[in-house]
Amino acid sequence: MIEGNNAMVDEHFMKAALAEAAKAQENGEVPIGAVIVREGRIIGRGSNRTETDRDPTCHAEIIAIREAAALLGGWRLLGCTLYVTLEPCSMCAGAIVLARIERLVIGTMDPKAGACGSLMNIPADGRLNHNPEIVTGVLENECRQVLKTFFRELRRK
């Protein structure tokens, strides 16, 4: 179990999300990773698997949510924080709200498809019955660089 101030804890768990992103990259996937934490422990992990599974819903966040829900034995992820290296899309943002995740910590924003502050902000929409706290910019440079390097290499090939 990890304890400390929020910034230190957030960086610790974002590093775990970056490790998940590295797993995605090793499998030829866009390097995005996510972890779900409850009471200082990781209870769900996910890395992108859309190409591997040939499934457009296999985003890192969805995989982590499924794993955490299975571990907890229910779909409400109360008291949980989701750490993700790239701002979630609209599908993942909706899942975050539906799962009742308490806190969302984002590494870098996604101006092309982000739905948690960039193009729209689904989790902050007051018309919904749940609005998680959103924190952005945790290990932002590291998260952004992983994606830049991946796409640079992809274009080079």
Side-chain angles (χ1 to χ4, degrees), residues 34-147:
V35 296
I36 296 181
V37 174
R38 185 173 189 213
E39 296 175 355
R41 290 186 175 84
I42 295 174
I43 62 167
R45 295 176 185 272
S47 56
N48 267 6
R49 291 195 332 226
T50 54
E51 298 295 335
T52 303
D53 293 357
R54 294 178 174 94
D55 182 345
T57 68
C58 284
H59 289 194
E61 302 94 321
I62 300 297
I63 294 164
I65 287 170
R66 288 176 181 158
E67 188 174 292
L71 182 78
L72 294 177
W75 60 270
R76 288 181 185 91
L77 301 183
L78 303 173
C80 292
T81 299
L82 170 63
Y83 293 85
V84 62
T85 57
L86 181 67
E87 179 185 3
C89 68
S90 57
M91 174 184 68
C92 294
I96 290 162
V97 170
L98 292 173
R100 311 295 196 272
I101 290 172
E102 184 177 314
R103 200 164 166 261
L104 171 62
V105 181
I106 301 167
T108 191
M109 300 303 277
D110 183 357
K112 293 183 178 182
C116 299
S118 290
L119 296 179
M120 61 194 84
N121 198 339
I122 292 169
D125 190 324
R127 297 170 294 180
L128 299 173
N129 65 344
H130 178 73
N131 302 110
E133 173 190 353
I134 301 172
V135 176
T136 62
V138 175
L139 297 182
E140 182 174 10
N141 291 333
E142 293 91 328
C143 293
R144 183 183 307 119
Q145 194 58 48
V146 166
L147 289 161

Side-chain angles (χ1 to χ4, degrees), residues 144-157:
R144 183 183 307 119
Q145 194 58 48
V146 166
L147 289 161
K148 278 186 168 183
T149 301
F150 174 80
F151 285 113
R152 185 180 314 121
E153 283 297 311
L154 193 63
R155 283 189 299 275
R156 190 178 65 78
K157 291 179 184 176

